[in-house]
Amino acid sequence: MARVIAVSNQKGGVGKTTTAVNIAASLAAAEKKVLLIDMDPQANAGSGLGISAESSQVTMYQVLVDEIPIKSAILHSELKCLNLAPSNQDLIGAEIELVTAIGREVRLKDSLEPIRDLYDYIIIDCPPALGILTVNALTAADSVLIPMQCEYYAMEGLSQLLKTITLIKRRLNPTLEKEGILLTMYDRRNNLCHQVEQDIRTHFGKEVFQTVIPRNVRLSEAPSHGKPVILYDINSAGSVSYMDVAREILKRYSKPKTAEKKLSNSSQSSPSLNTTIKPTPIHTDGVQI
């Protein structure tokens, strides 16, 4: 059964979607079956995989509001083991339309039950706000991964998010865990980054990923080309860092030697960068991976 990981931070601009897309891609490169769910109305996770919001008539809006089976929304990506459940701007309306709906907090959780056995990991890209969409994601998740930019204001946002997680755990999802805090946009030349990292590691200890994500030009360029960074430049610092994060996750839930071997093999040869993405909806009784 898939482990469901929500990538969430109430503060915007911390690398949340970049993290969701590239962790999903790195896990897929390790031959894990991965579904990336875009719960952000901006639909940036889809564009980061080169899939436009118009690629499917069924999106997460219909899944949540009309309770259409999520398998009707799933699209293939360029990576063999990575699928996407897309979003679009209609999802903004879900915040209003679900206000009076029965069981509004568990719509996503219920929709995932029929497909959880078909994947190893389900990664949810949450919007940068605490609303019904984020509540749905945290209620459906086994754990929450928190990207955090190495700056003072991000530390303040972290304390607010932890309060939210505690509330969700108390009221809606008692088994919700912290997957970990991931330090992003790390600049080793900046003394503040070092200070923030030291403070976070001192306070949260093993809950902080050992890997940090550096500021990296290739990592920033990749979304404009519609590719995760491992397809855009597999040898870049950003690509190596996200593969290291994937290794940390795989070590927790897989046999360490297998995880290391598959990710090592994927980093030795870059996937084709000229492959044209042709997302196609899946309309079979089961999701094809």
Side-chain angles (χ1 to χ4, degrees):
M1 180 174 288
R3 181 165 186 84
V4 182
I5 302 175
V7 181
S8 180
N9 194 323
Q10 292 169 233
K11 185 179 185 301
V14 298
K16 176 184 55 61
T17 298
T18 298
T19 293
V21 168
N22 287 292
I23 286 179
S26 296
L27 291 171
E31 298 180 12
K32 297 298 180 182
K33 297 175 182 178
V34 183
L35 174 64
L36 175 60
I37 298 178
D38 193 349
M39 288 286 283
D40 190 339
Q42 297 177 85
N44 288 333
S47 62
L49 294 178
I51 300 175
S52 69
E54 291 76 29
S55 298
S56 176
Q57 294 181 347
V58 180
T59 68
M60 289 307 300
Y61 171 79
Q62 285 82 12
V63 172
L64 295 174
V65 175
D66 300 327
E67 298 184 279
I68 292 177
I70 192 170
K71 66 182 181 182
S72 301
I74 293 174
L75 303 172
H76 292 299
S77 78
E78 186 173 353
L79 286 164
K80 178 182 177 181
C81 293
L82 177 58
N83 289 345
L84 171 74
S87 170
N88 62 19
Q89 292 185 350
D90 291 344
L91 201 54
I92 297 172
E95 293 280 0
I96 299 173
E97 295 179 53
L98 291 176
V99 167
T100 58
I102 297 174
R104 60 185 179 273
E105 299 92 351
V106 296
R107 290 290 179 97
L108 179 59
K109 180 179 181 180
D110 291 345
S111 73
L112 294 182
E113 288 303 319
I115 66 166
R116 284 191 66 162
D117 288 338
L118 301 173
Y119 292 95
D120 297 306
Y121 292 92
I122 296 175
I123 308 296
I124 306 173
D125 181 29
C126 300
L130 177 60
I132 194 65
L133 299 178
T134 299
V135 170
N136 261 267
L138 296 180
T139 302
D142 296 311
S143 59
V144 54
L145 188 155
I146 307 168
M148 180 184 154
Q149 189 176 354
C150 293
E151 61 174 30
Y152 175 74
Y153 287 123
M155 293 180 67
E156 286 191 336
L158 177 61
S159 63
Q160 296 173 1
L161 178 59
L162 293 177
K163 290 178 182 177
T164 299
I165 293 171
T166 299
L167 183 61
I168 295 291
K169 189 170 183 177
R170 183 184 307 155
R171 300 291 178 87
L172 296 169
N173 187 1
T175 61
L176 181 64
E177 303 173 350
K178 289 195 288 291
E179 189 67 36
I181 298 168
L182 179 64
L183 300 176
T184 63
M185 304 181 186
Y186 191 85
D187 187 347
R188 298 188 183 280
R189 301 167 299 178
N190 190 325
N191 290 334
L192 179 60
C193 285
H194 290 281
Q195 185 62 53
V196 170
E197 179 185 16
Q198 182 179 343
D199 291 346
I200 292 296
R201 292 193 186 279
T202 298
H203 192 272
F204 293 99
K206 293 183 179 180
E207 292 183 357
V208 184
F209 282 91
Q210 288 299 311
T211 305
V212 297
I213 307 300
R215 288 191 179 275
N216 180 246
V217 173
R218 305 298 274 177
L219 185 59
S220 300
E221 291 175 348
S224 66
H225 294 266
K227 296 178 183 291
V229 71
I230 64 169
L231 293 183
Y232 181 63
D233 186 350
I234 199 169
N235 296 313
S236 67
S239 179
V240 171
S241 296
Y242 274 114
M243 286 194 289
D244 285 343
V245 175
R247 286 190 184 94
E248 290 192 50
I249 293 173
L250 288 170
K251 283 181 179 179
R252 299 174 187 176
Y253 311 113
S254 306
K255 294 180 180 180
K257 291 184 179 179
T258 302
E260 287 287 346
K261 182 178 179 180
K262 288 180 177 178
L263 271 169
S264 295
N265 290 340
S266 70
S267 61
Q268 288 173 2
S269 59
S270 175
S272 172
L273 301 183
N274 297 318
T275 304
T276 301
I277 300 174
K278 296 181 179 179
T280 54
I282 299 175
H283 295 298
T284 60
D285 292 334
V287 177
Q288 299 175 4
I289 307 301

